[in-house]
Amino acid sequence: MLRNFRIEGLKIISVVGARPNFMKVAPLHRAFGKYSSVQHMIVHTGQHYDANMSKVFFDDLELPKPDVYLGVGSGTHAEQTAKVMVEFEKVLVREKPDLVIVVGDVNSTVACSLTSAKLWIPVAHVEAGLRSFDRTMPEEINRMVTDVLSDYLFVTEESGVVNLKHEGIADEKVFLVGDVMVDSLALYKEKAKLSAIRQQLSATSGDRLLPRSYTLVTLHRPSNVDEKGNLQTILKIFQATEKHGPIIFPVHPRTRKRIEEFGLSSHFAEVKNLVLTDPLGYLDFLNLMMDARVILTDSGGIQEESTFLDVPCITMRENTERPITLELGTNVLTGLSSEKVIDLVEKCYAGEWKKSRVPDLWDGKAAERIARILVDAKTFEH
Ligand code: UD1
């Protein structure tokens, strides 16, 4: 079906739901702000709802309050996805946007792309084409379904273009534009240096958090934190590596819940150099990332952020949907092997790490490219 954008301008809805979405939509909002012909609305599904998982990001990233808040909250995958669909459909029927933009790979991403496609509203997927080829990850299912439903597929790295080609997506729908998450990093790097987080944490840890003197940790994947044995492996890694300096671990609500459920809280508390904090805001976390000696993570986005910031990154997963961070960047995969992680942390504190470089097009201008492509497209096949 050929759909015309309205003559007087474009009405675009961008969807945010979970923490990793906010820093991707902020640069898009800024880029659309330069076009008087574009009305850009933000719909927040409420997948993440705690202030430190959501509101602080709006403040740090200077995002306006969402135009619509769906308040769906937590639930099983089916519950959460279904609730977003039911509520988002009402918004689409009322607002009749010309285009819906979804980012990343969370449940809100797939729910909103499916709802839009069923109403024949074109969908643009930002961060399309990434594949871990591991369907046990909910995000992989979300990525595959979203891509097949999307009309515009904006890709961060060459592997994404290749994956989409293999899946039979028409070339003219695919645009290699760079990484909107890097746009936010580039914009906020200087401001993040002013954060007082290191003084605050130093007061707790007793150690001054000098540049390159600490390890930064984020772990929240079900495959790492939903089993007691895996959390014990992580504990063992902390016990073996605390001798190098403070370990700063802002704990995701899922992880905190599991640590408590499995009765491991006191064991984590016994690791003297481990500083557990609540989840941190964007600027505070960026401040910590920039000067970390090494980052230990299972996040998707942090693999890219550490590559851009040139900070060693150990990813405790068996695979990655972001292979460029291994090929060019600072990232190394270890799975849940405590031996591998401990060995790599040793190497890192000994000053040994591979040389890296920032991938092409990760230059802070991805959102501008996306906005230009969408504004220039007056009609397209849906
Ligand atoms: C979601 C994404 C994941 C992303 C991560 C970033 C999916 C399938 N997963 O995982 O890709 O890397 O966000 O954080 O979309 N909770 C709170 N407060 C909140 C949000 C969550 O307490 O504001 C707790 C709830 O107990 C909830 C659990 O965390 O059940 C998990 O939240 P959920 O949104 O289901 O998935 P994440 O693990 O956060």
Side-chain angles (χ1 to χ4, degrees):
M1 171 190 163
L2 192 67
R3 189 186 156 98
N4 288 302
F5 286 150
R6 66 191 74 196
I7 307 294
E8 66 272 23
L10 273 177
K11 186 174 188 175
I12 297 177
I13 289 182
S14 287
V15 176
V16 292
R19 184 169 64 174
N21 296 157
F22 306 124
M23 64 293 280
K24 296 172 190 167
V25 166
L28 291 169
H29 185 69
R30 202 165 286 112
F32 287 128
K34 295 186 181 151
Y35 295 92
S36 56
S37 59
V38 177
Q39 182 192 350
H40 185 236
M41 293 176 67
I42 297 176
V43 173
H44 188 334
T45 66
Q47 177 174 345
H48 283 174
Y49 43 85
D50 286 352
N52 56 19
M53 297 292 284
S54 174
K55 177 158 187 326
V56 64
F57 288 82
F58 279 78
D59 298 340
D60 281 359
L61 295 157
E62 300 165 283
L63 266 168
K65 210 166 149 262
D67 296 278
V68 184
Y69 184 73
L70 303 181
V72 301
S74 303
T76 65
H77 284 270
E79 283 165 353
Q80 196 173 55
T81 309
K83 275 196 224 163
V84 173
M85 288 185 70
V86 170
E87 295 307 316
F88 191 57
E89 185 177 52
K90 294 176 196 163
V91 176
L92 293 181
V93 168
R94 190 174 68 230
E95 297 294 338
K96 299 185 178 46
D98 297 292
L99 179 80
V100 168
I101 298 181
V102 293
V103 298
D105 55 17
V106 301
N107 284 346
S108 300
T109 310
V110 71
C112 293
S113 53
L114 188 50
T115 312
S116 308
K118 293 256 182 179
L119 290 174
W120 294 359
I121 296 171
V123 178
H125 184 204
V126 173
E127 211 181 83
L130 297 179
R131 295 290 180 269
S132 64
F133 304 101
D134 175 2
R135 291 197 192 184
T136 64
M137 288 179 73
E139 293 81 5
E140 183 73 354
I141 310 282
N142 295 345
R143 288 189 279 261
M144 290 166 56
V145 175
T146 301
D147 282 345
V148 90
L149 297 173
S150 294
D151 303 277
Y152 284 85
L153 295 101
F154 295 111
V155 181
T156 52
E157 61 168 81
E158 193 59 44
S159 74
V161 176
V162 174
N163 295 334
L164 293 171
K165 209 178 187 57
H166 284 160
E167 290 173 23
I169 307 281
D171 288 348
E172 60 268 26
K173 291 183 177 181
V174 178
F175 303 86
L176 183 62
V177 289
D179 193 337
V180 287
M181 205 165 37
V182 166
D183 293 4
S184 284
L185 281 186
L187 186 63
Y188 286 107
K189 222 175 131 181
E190 286 309 307
K191 195 169 171 194
K193 288 184 184 159
L194 305 175
S195 151
I197 188 66
R198 270 189 262 167
Q199 286 91 303
Q200 287 163 18
L201 292 177
S202 298
T204 322
S205 78
D207 267 313
R208 284 189 63 209
L209 296 180
L210 296 171
R212 313 292 159 212
S213 73
Y214 59 91
T215 301
L216 181 62
V217 180
T218 77
L219 294 163
H220 72 280
R221 294 266 160 221
S223 56
N224 282 340
V225 305
D226 279 3
E227 275 178 43
K228 186 174 182 179
N230 295 348
L231 278 172
Q232 284 168 322
T233 303
I234 290 163
L235 185 61
K236 189 171 156 195
I237 292 168
F238 292 162
Q239 288 162 341
T241 56
E242 66 161 340
K243 62 175 186 272
H244 296 296
I247 303 169
I248 310 297
F249 185 7
V251 189
H252 187 285
R254 171 193 282 279
T255 311
R256 184 172 293 278
K257 233 179 171 173
R258 297 290 182 253
I259 291 175
E260 285 164 9
E261 269 170 27
F262 295 134
L264 293 171
S265 306
S266 58
H267 298 279
F268 278 87
E270 277 161 18
V271 183
K272 234 177 72 265
N273 247 342
L274 175 63
V275 183
L276 300 176
T277 76
D278 285 333
L280 298 174
Y282 185 74
L283 295 172
D284 287 345
F285 192 71
L286 176 51
N287 177 292
L288 288 173
M289 275 199 295
M290 283 189 299
D291 277 339
R293 182 72 176 217
V294 56
I295 301 175
L296 187 58
T297 192
D298 57 11
S299 152
I302 291 170
Q303 297 172 64
E304 293 179 351
E305 292 176 326
S306 55
T307 279
F308 180 74
L309 297 170
D310 194 21
V311 174
C313 181
I314 300 172
T315 299
M316 292 181 64
R317 288 174 43 189
E318 299 293 342
N319 51 54
T320 178
E321 60 289 337
R322 293 160 159 94
I324 204 160
T325 62
L326 301 176
E327 290 152 18
L328 294 185
T330 56
N331 191 23
V332 178
L333 294 182
T334 58
L336 245 176
S337 155
S338 53
E339 290 77 22
K340 279 191 199 161
V341 175
I342 293 165
D343 180 54
L344 282 168
V345 172
E346 284 303 321
K347 285 207 167 92
C348 197
Y349 276 90
E352 295 166 29
W353 207 257
K354 59 180 173 164
K355 287 248 171 309
S356 71
R357 81 166 171 85
V358 176
D360 296 340
L361 295 174
W362 290 19
D363 58 0
K365 298 197 171 96
E368 286 173 23
R369 290 186 193 103
I370 291 170
R372 162 71 32 221
I373 291 166
L374 291 174
V375 169
D376 283 351
K378 291 283 186 287
T379 61
F380 62 93
E381 297 281 342
H382 173 58

